[in-house]
Amino acid sequence: SDGEFAATHRPAAMYRAPDGREFAERDAYRKYMREEFFTFRGREGEVLTKRGGDIDGQAFELSELRDCTVQLLDRANQVTGDDLTGCRVFIGPTESSVFLRNCVDCTFTVACNQLRLRDCHNCVVRLYSQTDPVIETSAGVTFSPYNGAFAGQAEAFAAARLDPTDNHWRNVFDFNADGDGDGDGGAG
């Protein structure tokens, strides 16, 4: 009967995650991949690492981390970091933008096309940026040149289309230097 056929034959999974989980719907697969493989969220006191090939040019998200060491040793398309406190963060070559928001007492080593910081306080940024970095409503942020290294870094820079000889780390634009903010976020 038709009921027996439907019970024994389910549609084949069209999408398979690296951990073997299967999905028939693209949106469910993408959400699972983003949350399980391209996000570090809600962690405290951990070492969190992605190695070459783990990110492979995808967007990556860091959120609600406390006292963590983060190592993104691969190229990404875009990285966002929100609500990080007391963290040490290494972000490998990022083809587009790195957005850091609401970060306190962190040290960042970042290679990207564009860096934007908003509402960050008492942070150190060791930066490679192909464009002038931008900060907004931030204080106590200091910048110095990128000093990172990892196996495969040269290849990751090339894949992210970043020219390591063209670093704008010191050309920080502070949106609040002449506006409402305290203007205390410039390069130091």
Side-chain angles (χ1 to χ4, degrees):
S1 84
D2 287 338
E4 289 175 24
F5 179 80
T8 60
H9 292 80
R10 56 179 201 175
M14 297 172 38
Y15 304 96
R16 183 185 310 259
D19 62 2
R21 186 158 178 191
E22 297 179 342
F23 298 86
E25 296 179 10
R26 182 174 185 255
D27 287 346
Y29 166 76
R30 289 175 57 115
K31 180 179 180 186
Y32 180 79
M33 288 295 295
R34 183 177 57 252
E35 289 297 320
E36 296 299 319
F37 294 94
F38 303 117
T39 300
F40 290 140
R41 179 188 324 278
R43 308 282 191 85
E44 185 169 344
E46 295 183 49
V47 175
L48 307 167
T49 303
K50 291 292 184 178
R51 300 194 186 289
D54 289 349
I55 302 172
D56 198 26
Q58 298 295 314
F60 202 89
E61 181 182 341
L62 307 170
S63 180
E64 300 168 7
L65 303 178
R66 305 286 174 264
D67 302 316
C68 289
T69 297
V70 177
Q71 302 169 334
L72 302 183
L73 307 175
D74 196 8
R75 72 179 173 89
N77 174 272
Q78 173 180 301
V79 176
T80 57
D82 292 298
D83 301 312
L84 310 180
T85 302
C87 295
R88 294 181 49 194
V89 179
F90 183 101
I91 299 173
T94 304
E95 188 171 344
S96 183
S97 297
V98 171
F99 297 98
L100 302 172
R101 298 174 289 236
N102 301 309
C103 299
V104 178
D105 298 326
C106 293
T107 299
F108 296 98
T109 302
V110 178
C112 62
N113 183 55
Q114 178 187 44
L115 176 72
R116 296 193 64 129
L117 276 76
R118 188 184 75 219
D119 298 320
C120 292
H121 301 281
N122 303 321
C123 293
V124 173
V125 181
R126 297 178 180 122
L127 179 64
Y128 166 85
S129 182
Q130 205 157 261
T131 61
D132 295 355
V134 175
I135 62 174
E136 185 175 356
T137 58
S138 295
V141 178
T142 60
F143 288 85
S144 62
Y146 179 80
N147 65 350
F150 64 95
Q153 179 171 269
E155 296 81 2
F157 261 82
R161 294 182 283 177
L162 300 177
D163 175 1
T165 66
D166 184 22
N167 189 354
H168 292 233
W169 72 270
R170 71 173 64 229
N171 301 333
V172 177
F173 181 78
D174 185 345
F175 265 113
N176 295 98
D178 295 320
D180 303 344
D182 57 22
D184 186 27

